Amino acid sequence: MSRDFIHKARGVSDLKCHLVLTPKYRRKLFNEPMLTRLEAIFKALMEKWEGRLIEFNSETDHVHLLIQYTPQTEPSKLINNLKTVSSRYLRKEFAERVNQFYRKDVLWTNGYFIASCGGVTVEQLKQYIEEQDRPVE
C-alpha cells in the first residue's frame, strides 16, 4: 500500500481532514467555472501551506475538500486563509455572478465543518496499540 506522507525535518506525518465550506446564507452560488477556479485556488494555497488538496467537489451551495496538512499547521488559521483568499479571488473574477447574491463583500459563512480522517478506523488503531509487545518484568 502506497502512502503519501509529508516528510519534514524532524518528522513524518499523515494528517488529513474533510472540510466543508458554505457560502453566506447557503445561497446556490457556485457554477462550473467558479468551481474549477476554486479548486485551482485551494490547490495553490495548500501547496503554500506545505500540504496538499487531495480531493475537491461541490454542489451549488457548498464545497467539500479533503486536505493533507503538516503538524505545524493550525487548522483554524489554514481555513481562515482558504476562505479569505478564495473569497477575494471569486469576488474579483466572478463579480457579476457574486453580486447577484450579495450586496456586501461577503462570500463564505463564518463557520465551517471539519472532521479528521485517516487510513484506519479508531477501532483498528486501538487494536494495533493493544497488540504491541509490552515488556513484562
Side-chain angles (χ1 to χ4, degrees):
M1 179 168 83
S2 174
R3 304 282 305 233
D4 291 321
F5 296 123
I6 294 179
H7 298 266
K8 300 275 292 173
R10 296 194 173 174
V12 178
S13 65
D14 188 22
L15 301 172
K16 295 181 178 89
C17 71
H18 174 210
L19 177 63
V20 180
L21 304 176
T22 58
K24 191 87 169 167
Y25 311 119
R26 197 135 185 176
R27 300 279 162 81
K28 297 188 181 302
L29 169 69
F30 301 122
N31 58 26
E32 181 55 35
M34 292 175 84
L35 294 174
T36 300
R37 182 64 177 124
L38 259 181
E39 184 172 11
I41 292 167
F42 289 144
K43 183 177 182 181
L45 287 171
M46 287 307 303
E47 288 172 5
K48 286 183 181 178
W49 282 81
E50 299 180 316
R52 68 186 186 105
L53 178 65
I54 298 170
E55 192 65 46
F56 173 86
N57 209 346
S58 177
E59 293 187 15
T60 58
D61 64 350
H62 66 281
V63 297
H64 291 265
L65 296 88
L66 178 58
I67 58 176
Q68 184 178 24
Y69 57 97
T70 68
Q72 295 78 18
T73 303
E74 294 181 51
S76 61
K77 288 184 179 179
L78 169 62
I79 295 165
N80 185 51
N81 184 254
L82 292 172
K83 289 167 67 174
T84 300
V85 173
S86 63
S87 176
R88 189 177 328 117
Y89 279 113
L90 288 187
R91 285 188 287 115
K92 179 181 176 186
E93 297 172 19
F94 299 93
E96 188 176 320
R97 173 113 177 128
V98 174
N99 290 337
Q100 292 175 1
F101 293 86
Y102 305 111
R103 294 183 184 177
K104 296 182 181 179
D105 285 344
V106 298
L107 186 76
W108 301 109
T109 60
N110 290 334
Y112 54 86
F113 169 82
I114 186 170
S116 62
C117 53
V120 298
T121 66
V122 172
E123 287 303 316
Q124 289 171 322
L125 189 55
K126 282 172 58 177
Q127 181 180 353
Y128 173 77
I129 293 170
E130 288 172 0
E131 292 173 356
Q132 294 301 296
D133 190 15
R134 185 175 178 157
V136 183
E137 291 192 47

